[in-house]
Amino acid sequence: MNINKKKLTPVVLVSIFFLMLGLSFASVPLYELFCRVTGFGGTTQNASNKEIPKTVINQDYKMRFDTNINGTLGWKFNSEFNTLNLKPGEVRTVKFNVENSGSEPSSGTASFNVSPSPFGIYLNKIGCFCFEKQKLEAGERAKYILTFYLDPEMVNDSNTKNIEDVTLSYTFFSSDYY
């Protein structure tokens, strides 16, 4: 019986090692799937023109836009609106102005966050410039467009029905380093 335990222990340890290794590779896609399904951490949803709601709820929400540049990226970044009133189900488009104020070409990638985070599952992006590498020449200006809507189902959710103020925050990071 002792001989079997001595042979079984390394097999169990090697199996645990490979299981943990497999879980470490699967953790990022599983976390992204979890965030996309639940809206955890303000993760928004992607939508298409075919999924646009047919109903607009007559309840105003104030959407705030926060724009930031991280680190050494010599860009200027702002939205055409600081705040925007919208109704659930109403499709809106917002333009963002970006300028490379540096003396050399550079690249950036924008990430975003929604606050309060329960709104993430109800903010549906039809078109967005986020997570795509954007390259600007020295002194070049560009306009990037976000098209989105709030899902009308949000008025039935106890986590969101009493909140009337939403912030969508974008941060551009240098793509030269990431």
Side-chain angles (χ1 to χ4, degrees):
M1 195 99 168
N2 261 345
I3 295 172
N4 287 340
K5 284 185 181 180
K6 286 183 180 182
K7 288 182 180 178
L8 185 62
T9 300
V11 170
V12 169
L13 290 175
V14 168
S15 299
I16 290 173
F17 170 77
F18 282 112
L19 175 68
M20 297 302 284
L21 184 66
L23 286 175
S24 69
F25 281 105
S27 64
V28 172
L30 289 175
Y31 181 73
E32 287 177 356
L33 176 64
F34 170 77
C35 290
R36 186 116 1 247
V37 169
T38 64
F40 180 75
T43 303
T44 63
Q45 307 301 304
N46 291 323
S48 69
N49 286 328
K50 296 175 187 174
E51 300 169 9
I52 294 174
K54 309 259 187 283
T55 306
V56 175
I57 308 288
N58 191 21
Q59 184 174 346
D60 284 328
Y61 286 85
K62 182 181 281 187
M63 176 72 78
R64 297 179 188 281
F65 297 96
D66 176 40
T67 55
N68 303 286
I69 301 292
N70 181 272
T72 60
L73 188 62
W75 290 12
K76 295 178 183 172
F77 177 44
N78 60 27
S79 63
E80 69 178 327
F81 304 111
N82 289 332
T83 60
L84 176 68
N85 290 327
L86 73 148
K87 299 176 185 322
E90 177 181 33
V91 177
R92 299 300 295 261
T93 298
V94 177
K95 295 176 187 161
F96 291 82
N97 303 305
V98 183
E99 178 183 357
N100 179 357
S101 54
S103 58
E104 295 189 15
S106 58
S107 299
T109 303
S111 66
F112 63 89
N113 189 21
V114 177
S115 182
S117 57
F119 271 94
I121 198 166
Y122 298 110
L123 183 78
N124 290 272
K125 297 178 302 175
I126 297 170
C128 183
F129 58 93
C130 45
F131 302 118
E132 295 176 5
K133 184 175 181 177
Q134 310 293 339
K135 183 175 182 180
L136 294 177
E137 298 296 324
E140 182 180 4
R141 294 178 182 183
K143 288 192 185 289
Y144 299 126
I145 296 175
L146 166 68
T147 304
F148 69 100
Y149 65 89
L150 291 175
D151 190 327
E153 285 298 315
M154 66 183 289
V155 297
N156 299 324
D157 187 339
S158 62
N159 293 321
T160 58
K161 69 178 180 180
N162 294 323
I163 301 172
E164 298 174 354
D165 201 348
V166 184
T167 301
L168 181 57
S169 180
Y170 277 95
T171 302
F172 257 107
F173 293 89
S174 173
S175 292
D176 298 333
Y177 303 107
Y178 300 102

